[in-house]
Amino acid sequence: MSTTQLSSDTLKTKQHFDILDGLRGIAAISVVIFHFMEMAITDYSKNFIAHGFLAVDFFFCLSGFVIGYAYDDRIGKMGVKEFFKSRLIRLHPLVILGSILGLLTFLFAPYGGDPEAYSVGKIILIFLSSVLLIPFPSMTERSFNLFSFNAPAWSLFWEYVANIVYAFILCRLSRRVLLILTAISAVALCFVSYRSGNLMGGWGQSTFWDGSIRILYSFLAGLVIYRSNWIIKNKLGFISLSILLFLAFIMPFNELTWLTEPLVVLFYFPLIIALGAGAKLTDGLRKLCVFSGKISYPLYMTHYAVIWMFLNYYTANKPDTTHLSFIIIIGTMLLLAVAYIFMVVYDIPVRKYLTAKRKQV
């Protein structure tokens, strides 16, 4: 196969499921609000969006569905190498940007960090580990996050692992084998939730391997939904599905969390994806869904530098409820605006450049 044929046919981006893209944006915004809230309210039972972290499990499930849809029928033609190039071009520019933002705010921003407590070599090592997605939980004041300068990168680490496993193994497995693996991973997910009391792990040193179980089930479930064509035709639309998704993030955080969270991840999120793939979208909301989908990943990968600054500010000043609400609302809106700017001036141009260079090889 020639490079021209590979570029024009095999590498061509498929049509998106616009409502699913829109729901990805709702999940990303929910993560931002959750991160603000958890810094200010350490008692999760008093946090109105205490389950916002489950948006990551929704991302994982959606990723399995989208990867299956986008590559199942062409990874054999394009090859593993080209598949990895596609994923790196799509994901890694913002991994790098998020790491740079985390470094800059740590060094220079008010309430950013305490660089005097670290040697130059240690700071460089932490930064390089973030850029290269090599887990390095070394900062006590940042709860031993796997990636101290850009905490959300932990999910990208596991996303890359899932992509590697997909390219070498999952793309070759039958639907029956996938169903068996999904059932086994469901049992493992329930065990993790029962042992820990919730499904919040994966982001830090002490719960590192919990992340593998979270993505194992959700990615497999998304892939099974696609392979089984479990797409439910319906008339719910984007607004109704957004509300249904958001309800999962604001459900009560209590002594039954060890049970309710697995139920949401095992059944509710796959159902929403099946509904989202089959729902009808009005023309009036199409642009909103497309924008929501495009902004979701830049928002997710660039917001956490501000979250660390907010934590340090909150610890030092203890703003009252009114000021806290104002900060979170305005902060979320500003982060959306900044993510849009980064998307337009950095992410899209860089990906276009890398794609063009790739086709010239």
Side-chain angles (χ1 to χ4, degrees):
M1 179 177 289
S2 69
T3 302
T4 303
Q5 288 175 316
L6 185 64
S7 301
S8 61
D9 299 327
T10 309
L11 300 182
K12 186 177 181 181
T13 301
K14 289 188 175 182
Q15 182 178 350
H16 286 211
F17 290 89
D18 290 335
I19 287 184
L20 292 181
D21 283 344
L23 293 178
R24 184 188 290 112
I26 298 298
I29 293 171
S30 299
V31 167
V32 173
I33 298 172
F34 165 75
H35 282 151
F36 271 120
M37 290 295 296
E38 74 165 345
M39 295 302 180
I41 302 177
T42 56
D43 184 351
Y44 286 92
S45 65
K46 298 179 180 179
N47 185 340
F48 85 97
I49 194 169
H51 283 101
F53 64 88
L54 290 179
V56 174
D57 299 89
F58 178 77
F59 291 147
F60 288 158
C61 191
L62 185 57
S63 177
F65 179 87
V66 171
I67 291 294
Y69 167 70
Y71 294 105
D72 262 8
D73 62 351
R74 57 176 175 162
I75 191 170
K77 299 177 183 178
M78 70 191 307
V80 171
K81 182 179 178 181
E82 292 299 328
F83 171 75
F84 288 150
K85 285 182 181 179
S86 295
R87 301 310 292 154
L88 282 169
I89 291 172
R90 176 66 185 96
L91 299 175
H92 218 74
L94 283 169
V95 171
I96 295 172
L97 178 61
S99 303
I100 292 172
L101 293 175
L103 173 64
L104 292 177
T105 53
F106 177 74
L107 292 175
F108 303 115
Y111 306 105
D114 185 19
E116 293 81 10
Y118 294 85
S119 67
V120 173
K122 184 69 171 291
I123 291 174
I124 292 173
L125 192 58
I126 294 171
F127 174 71
L128 290 177
S129 71
S130 183
V131 169
L132 300 174
L133 285 184
I134 301 171
F136 186 47
S138 58
M139 298 180 70
T140 306
E141 73 275 23
R142 297 196 170 184
S143 303
F144 292 104
N145 275 271
L146 299 184
F147 304 99
S148 302
F149 288 159
N150 195 24
W154 77 267
S155 63
L156 268 295
F157 169 81
W158 288 114
E159 177 72 23
Y160 273 140
V161 171
N163 283 196
I164 292 170
V165 174
Y166 169 82
F168 287 111
I169 301 173
L170 298 181
C171 68
R172 296 175 170 83
L173 298 182
S174 67
R175 175 177 168 272
R176 181 179 179 181
V177 174
L178 282 178
L179 283 168
I180 294 172
L181 291 176
T182 305
I184 294 172
S185 63
V187 174
L189 189 79
C190 292
F191 171 76
V192 167
S193 184
Y194 179 76
R195 181 200 63 196
S196 303
N198 56 63
L199 288 175
M200 202 180 297
W203 52 268
Q205 183 179 51
S206 62
T207 63
F208 174 77
W209 291 107
D210 289 2
S212 66
I213 302 301
R214 289 177 70 180
I215 194 167
L216 178 63
Y217 172 78
S218 291
F219 189 89
L220 285 171
L223 190 57
V224 166
I225 292 170
Y226 170 72
R227 294 264 182 96
S228 304
N229 196 31
W230 288 341
I231 295 175
I232 303 172
K233 299 295 183 182
N234 64 91
K235 298 181 180 180
L236 286 174
F238 173 62
I239 300 299
S240 297
L241 286 169
S242 296
I243 293 172
L244 289 175
L245 177 61
F246 192 70
L247 286 175
F249 306 142
I250 61 174
M251 66 179 180
F253 196 99
N254 52 38
E255 63 276 4
L256 292 178
T257 290
W258 66 272
L259 176 61
T260 56
E261 287 181 0
L263 290 176
V264 167
V265 175
L266 293 177
F267 304 109
Y268 192 65
F269 285 161
L271 175 62
I272 288 180
I273 288 174
L275 290 169
K280 292 184 178 180
L281 180 63
T282 61
D283 292 335
L285 291 174
R286 191 173 304 279
K287 288 184 178 180
L288 176 61
C289 285
V290 171
F291 174 79
S292 181
K294 287 182 177 180
I295 201 72
S296 60
Y297 185 50
L299 176 64
Y300 183 72
M301 287 304 293
T302 61
H303 78 280
Y304 215 85
V306 172
I307 299 299
W308 285 127
M309 293 168 58
F310 169 73
L311 171 63
N312 294 330
Y313 169 81
Y314 182 84
T315 302
N317 295 278
K318 289 292 190 292
D320 58 33
T321 302
T322 300
H323 286 92
L324 179 62
S325 300
F326 178 80
I327 291 170
I328 292 175
I329 293 171
I330 299 301
T332 302
M333 293 173 63
L334 288 176
L335 283 170
L336 275 165
V338 170
Y340 175 76
I341 293 171
F342 284 139
M343 178 182 73
V344 172
V345 304
Y346 170 77
D347 185 42
I348 292 176
V350 168
R351 287 193 285 117
K352 284 184 176 179
Y353 171 79
L354 293 175
T355 300
K357 294 292 289 184
R358 173 190 185 184
K359 291 179 180 179
Q360 293 173 8
V361 175

